[in-house]
Amino acid sequence: MACNLSDSQIAEAYSQVLSNDGIDWMVIGYGSTRDRLSLYASGDGGVTEMALHVPDEVVFCFISFEGSRVLVTHVAEKISQAVRADADDAPGQDQTFGH
């Protein structure tokens, strides 16, 4: 299944994290859709601030932390096993983060 990454805010936030241009983290997720990622939040307060913006669902967090850039897939405990399996191979992740 293809994932819609047309939200320009994702590309802008990702670029800012990479270039240390005002933000050091971002959180993206599907919301109520199954095929369109949206930017949920971004900021400059590091891991502590980012953790405050991680909802109780499947989301992808990208952070510049101690000289490294880290991609975290967060799967909330309430998520079913079937959805958990899909999160491991989330469409669009490779497209978004170039891995």
Side-chain angles (χ1 to χ4, degrees), residues 35 37-39 44-45 49 57-58 73 75 86 93:
D35 63 349
L37 288 168
S38 298
L39 180 67
D44 62 359
E49 180 186 42
E57 59 185 85
V58 176
T73 302
V75 182
D86 287 344
Q93 225 180 160

Side-chain angles (χ1 to χ4, degrees), residues 14-83:
Y14 181 66
S15 177
Q16 286 179 310
V17 172
L18 287 178
S19 64
N20 296 315
D21 185 21
I23 67 171
D24 60 5
W25 63 267
M26 61 185 272
V27 177
I28 63 175
Y30 292 103
S32 61
T33 72
R34 298 263 317 150
D35 63 349
R36 180 182 170 87
L37 288 168
S38 298
L39 180 67
Y40 282 19
S42 61
D44 62 359
V47 174
T48 303
E49 180 186 42
M50 183 183 74
L52 298 172
H53 295 275
V54 175
D56 207 16
E57 59 185 85
V58 176
V59 293
F60 307 100
C61 307
F62 184 63
I63 186 166
S64 181
F65 179 73
E66 294 185 1
S68 296
R69 293 184 182 99
V70 181
L71 173 63
V72 177
T73 302
H74 169 79
V75 182
E77 289 184 32
K78 73 175 189 173
I79 302 299
S80 72
Q81 290 298 331
V83 173

